[in-house]
Every structure is written in structure tokens, then in C-alpha cells.
Amino acid sequence: MTDYRLLLEQLESFCRAEPFYVPLFANASALLWQALPEINWAGFYILRDDTLVLGPFQGKPACIRIGPGRGVCGAAVRDGRVLRVADVHVFPGHIACDSASNAEIVLPLCHGGAPKAVLDLDSPVMNRFDEADEAGLCAFAAMLEQYAVYE
């Protein structure tokens, strides 16, 4: 079981040290990579001109651009909500950057009420992310929303 309380304490120290989103997201993805078992990708896509562009991450090389509404990441931005997908192979329009991925959770990150990025985690294990993970990751994302500076 992941200790999200400890993870949030660690994230807060990075947030206070450097709020600019590039190093902050780099360290945030490294924290998640080390803390969460059974994941094969943890990272961010940054919204630029209605397209999600690959940001800091841990894992195998990934898709560089994701168009509006495409895949789980694009759908999460379009719908403005967390998407927790137990089996990505049945998700309409799923983008398979890594064929080993079977489950995914995507959390939109907003700033000033507008979407700015998504936090994306993939797992080779079907139904890997549960309600406890979603709650912990929502708190993680909320802290990033509070501190991240995009300019």
C-alpha cells in the first residue's frame, strides 16, 4: 500500500524549493515512479495550443503529442475530470504508447481555472488503480495545482 501522506510531504518539499513546472514535474514523476508499485509509466503532458505535449516522465519513451480529446489523456482534459481505466484495451480511442500497459489513471491539472497539464500513470496490471490510489493521486495533483508556475 502506498503511503500517500509521506508522498505528499516529499512533494511539498520539492514544490517549495522550485515551483517552475519543468523541474517540479520531473521530481514529481520520479517520486511516483519510486513510490508506486506495478507501474510502467509516470509523467506529465503539458497543454499547448489545444494539444498535449510530452513533459517530464519516468518510463519508456512515450508519444510526443496527443490531439484534443484523443486517448485517455485527451479525454480527461476534454471532460475536465479524473479518468481511472481498469482495462485500456476497451477504452475508445486508447493510444498504445507502450503495448505492456493495461490500466491507466489520468488527472487533469488546472491553473486559474484553465487546464494546463495532465498527470498520467500506466500499469501493466489490469485494474491496478483503486479508489485509494485515486484519492491519493488527487491530493498529489491538487498540491501541484497549488504550487506549479507555468511562466
Side-chain angles (χ1 to χ4, degrees):
M1 179 128 183
T2 302
D3 184 349
Y4 283 103
R5 188 183 55 72
L6 176 60
L7 199 56
L8 288 171
E9 288 175 14
Q10 293 170 325
L11 178 62
E12 186 171 22
S13 69
F14 285 120
C15 289
R16 291 183 183 279
E18 179 53 67
F20 183 59
Y21 81 94
V22 176
L24 178 55
F25 288 3
N27 279 325
S29 63
L31 280 175
L32 293 168
W33 184 255
Q34 290 186 341
L36 273 68
E38 299 179 319
I39 62 170
N40 60 335
W41 204 87
F44 297 87
Y45 281 90
I46 313 306
L47 191 61
R48 293 185 51 102
D49 301 323
D50 295 326
T51 298
L52 290 166
V53 180
L54 183 64
F57 72 93
Q58 301 284 313
K60 291 182 179 180
C63 302
I64 296 171
R65 293 182 177 275
I66 298 175
R70 295 206 51 230
V72 181
C73 289
V77 169
R78 178 194 64 218
D79 298 346
R81 65 182 181 94
V82 175
L83 289 180
R84 181 166 39 112
V85 181
D87 179 355
V88 296
H89 305 290
V90 298
F91 188 88
H94 172 252
I95 301 167
C97 295
D98 180 352
S99 62
S101 293
N102 288 311
E104 186 170 5
I105 187 167
V106 178
L107 301 94
L109 302 176
C110 295
H111 183 75
K116 288 291 189 177
V118 296
L119 169 57
D120 181 20
L121 292 102
D122 295 354
S123 174
V125 177
M126 293 280 192
N127 204 24
R128 159 62 186 85
F129 304 104
D130 60 17
E131 291 175 3
D133 289 308
E134 184 172 338
L137 291 168
C138 281
F140 193 90
M143 185 173 290
L144 290 171
E145 287 180 323
Q146 177 185 349
Y147 283 97
V149 174
Y150 294 90
E151 312 257 335

